[in-house]
Amino acid sequence: MSSAHSAVPTAGSVPSPSSTSSTVPSSASAASAASSGGAAPTIAELLEFVRRTARNEELIASLPLDPEGRTWIRLDGPGGSEAWLIGWPPGTGTGWHDHADSIGAFTTAAGALKEHSLAVRLPTDGWKTLELTDGVDRSRELATGQGRAFGQNHVHEVLNESEDVHAVSVHAYYPPLPRIHRFSRTGAVLRLEQTESPEDWQ
């Protein structure tokens, strides 16, 4: 299985346009799809899928790890969802971004990740700069085996703050990501920097 990459994907999103990735079906995804009867997966089903997949030691061990950049394998998610296994070198992170109209979930399979998120729903269109109010910031540590699910337009950044330990995580989104908004942040000011569509990363 050859899917190590030096380009950097966005956790909770997809690899960069120059990347390629392999698709790995798993018994977890097959079971989830069967249990949903072909219906769109719920947030709870996505969370169950990423948790179950994160316990697949053989799959987690199959991900090549690179000391310089993130690596990834595309997975067969439940019910037509988009799923990824992502490796994080020490000190790497995503920057602020959302997943547009997709719901999603992710779980740490090895190491630990930190998520900073906003506990507020942002306007979906028509703005370039927003000043965030006090009290909207949330942070959580996600040790091995811990995960979280989120609804549409969830804004966050994910980091591996370790100085010497890789982290590995499993992510799933439904519907497959229609677009991603990328943001920069200075203090309370959030600025929309870029909107990416599937053509930008496929």
Side-chain angles (χ1 to χ4, degrees), residues 11-196:
S13 86
V14 295
S16 64
S18 61
S19 71
T20 58
S21 60
S22 58
T23 299
V24 180
S26 68
S27 57
S29 64
S32 294
S35 67
S36 67
T42 64
I43 290 179
E45 288 169 337
L46 292 179
L47 183 58
E48 173 59 24
F49 166 78
V50 297
R51 284 176 169 167
R52 190 182 313 140
T53 303
R55 295 193 295 269
N56 184 334
E57 295 181 3
E58 183 178 357
L59 176 63
I60 302 310
S62 74
L63 177 67
L65 299 179
D66 186 317
E68 301 299 327
R70 273 172 280 178
T71 52
W72 54 86
I73 297 173
R74 184 157 187 169
L75 306 175
D76 181 16
S81 62
E82 178 175 344
W84 299 90
L85 177 64
I86 299 177
W88 306 67
T92 56
T94 64
W96 289 91
H97 65 281
D98 71 4
H99 313 98
D101 299 325
S102 296
I103 60 173
F106 70 99
T107 291
T108 304
L113 293 172
K114 185 165 202 175
E115 182 199 38
H116 299 298
S117 62
L118 300 180
V120 63
R121 187 181 179 96
L122 301 182
T124 55
D125 293 297
W127 64 276
K128 289 290 186 183
T129 303
L130 287 177
E131 185 167 355
L132 302 171
T133 58
D134 291 339
V136 301
D137 284 293
R138 301 289 184 269
S139 292
R140 67 180 72 198
E141 299 278 353
L142 297 168
T144 299
Q146 295 182 327
R148 63 110 74 232
F150 49 83
Q152 296 175 328
N153 304 299
H154 178 67
V155 177
H156 71 170
E157 68 172 349
V158 182
L159 310 165
N160 177 7
E161 295 186 325
S162 172
E163 296 182 358
D164 53 11
V165 177
H166 258 82
V168 177
S169 56
V170 182
H171 304 247
Y173 313 96
Y174 188 87
L177 295 167
R179 65 186 184 277
I180 298 167
H181 299 107
R182 299 193 187 276
F183 309 99
S184 62
R185 183 172 178 183
T186 304
V189 177
L190 191 71
R191 180 181 298 275
L192 176 62
E193 297 291 352
Q194 186 175 3
T195 300
E196 295 182 1

